[in-house]
Amino acid sequence: MNPKVDFFFADNSKWQKEYEKLRKIALKTGLDEELKWGCPCYTYHRKNIFLIHGFKDYCALLFFKGALLNDTESILIQQTENVQAARQLRFTSLQEIIQYEKIITTYMYEAVEVEKSGVKVPLKKTKEFEMAEEFQNKLDQNPKLKTAFEALTPGRQRAYLLYFSTAKQSKTRESRIEKSIPSILKGKGLND
């Protein structure tokens, strides 16, 4: 148990009992308990294996390399189509966690083995992400913008590409692009 993480479990949240049960199960794995992103995160040799987090309608275990797990029970969930590696086990009650405890434990240990093996999730290259036509036009018209965009880290590039391409209307895409140009030119990411 890491005292820095205790506050998460002491908080009188909607999922407090569920969090406590998930922690008990997680601690049996012998992994290190750390605080990351405000959540309890369980690591093996400083590599993230899974974390416990909660949302309005459910609490969850998020496996960082969940896409590589052998999901024999077909219960791992990909949060959105853009999440490439992580997968969640979602719970809506303490009883559900108790019912699935053996399966949860199996998935936790398998996640450790995946990390030990060194296998990586094959991620889509930035080039494979959809480029909004409006943004491509801006890049073609403005060489400084193109150079600045290409100088961004792949993760920052993908964030912008997703942000621009998910807008349904051209007008919205144009607006998002215009608002983002100053940040791109400064070498900043979408949320920097």
Side-chain angles (χ1 to χ4, degrees):
M1 285 185 158
N2 184 335
K4 291 180 183 177
V5 182
D6 287 344
F7 83 92
F8 184 88
F9 299 100
D11 186 28
N12 192 14
S13 76
K14 177 179 180 179
W15 305 111
Q16 185 179 9
K17 290 178 183 169
E18 288 82 359
Y19 289 156
E20 289 171 359
K21 181 64 176 171
L22 288 171
R23 184 186 204 186
K24 285 179 184 174
I25 298 168
L27 289 172
K28 290 178 185 176
T29 64
L31 295 173
D32 293 324
E33 183 179 63
E34 299 182 34
L35 181 66
K36 295 189 179 187
W37 307 283
C39 298
C41 182
Y42 298 85
T43 65
Y44 174 78
H45 294 287
R46 300 185 166 237
K47 300 285 187 181
N48 300 329
I49 306 298
F50 59 86
L51 63 75
I52 298 171
H53 60 164
F55 299 87
K56 180 181 169 189
D57 296 328
Y58 61 88
C59 65
L61 280 176
L62 178 114
F63 292 93
F64 288 91
K65 291 185 177 179
L68 297 176
L69 297 180
N70 183 15
D71 187 13
T72 56
E73 303 296 319
S74 300
I75 55 176
L76 289 174
I77 297 169
Q78 183 178 3
Q79 294 131 287
T80 70
E81 66 183 47
N82 296 314
V83 173
Q84 297 182 62
R87 298 293 184 269
Q88 287 181 329
L89 283 180
R90 294 180 180 174
F91 307 100
T92 56
S93 71
L94 178 60
Q95 187 56 42
E96 198 174 10
I97 295 169
I98 292 167
Q99 176 186 342
Y100 285 100
E101 184 169 354
K102 286 182 181 178
I103 295 165
I104 294 168
T105 303
T106 299
Y107 280 42
M108 288 177 174
Y109 282 114
E110 184 182 351
V112 172
E113 292 306 314
V114 165
E115 187 57 48
K116 284 179 181 179
S117 76
V119 177
K120 305 248 186 247
V121 176
L123 301 176
K124 284 177 24 180
K125 303 282 185 225
T126 303
K127 292 180 249 174
E128 297 175 66
F129 282 78
E130 181 182 343
M131 170 82 70
E133 183 179 337
E134 296 84 352
F135 187 53
Q136 184 63 60
N137 292 340
K138 291 284 184 193
L139 294 176
D140 293 343
Q141 295 166 5
N142 185 339
K144 283 185 182 178
L145 177 62
K146 183 175 182 175
T147 300
F149 182 73
E150 289 173 351
L152 294 173
T153 62
R156 287 186 171 117
Q157 289 178 13
R158 288 190 296 270
Y160 280 118
L161 293 175
L162 285 170
Y163 178 61
F164 300 152
S165 67
T166 55
K168 290 184 172 83
Q169 297 182 7
S170 179
K171 184 173 140 181
T172 307
R173 288 190 295 274
E174 288 280 353
S175 173
R176 288 180 179 185
I177 292 164
E178 286 301 322
K179 288 178 185 173
S180 299
I181 287 174
S183 293
I184 294 170
L185 290 172
K186 290 177 185 172
K188 294 187 175 193
L190 184 62
N191 300 309
D192 291 347

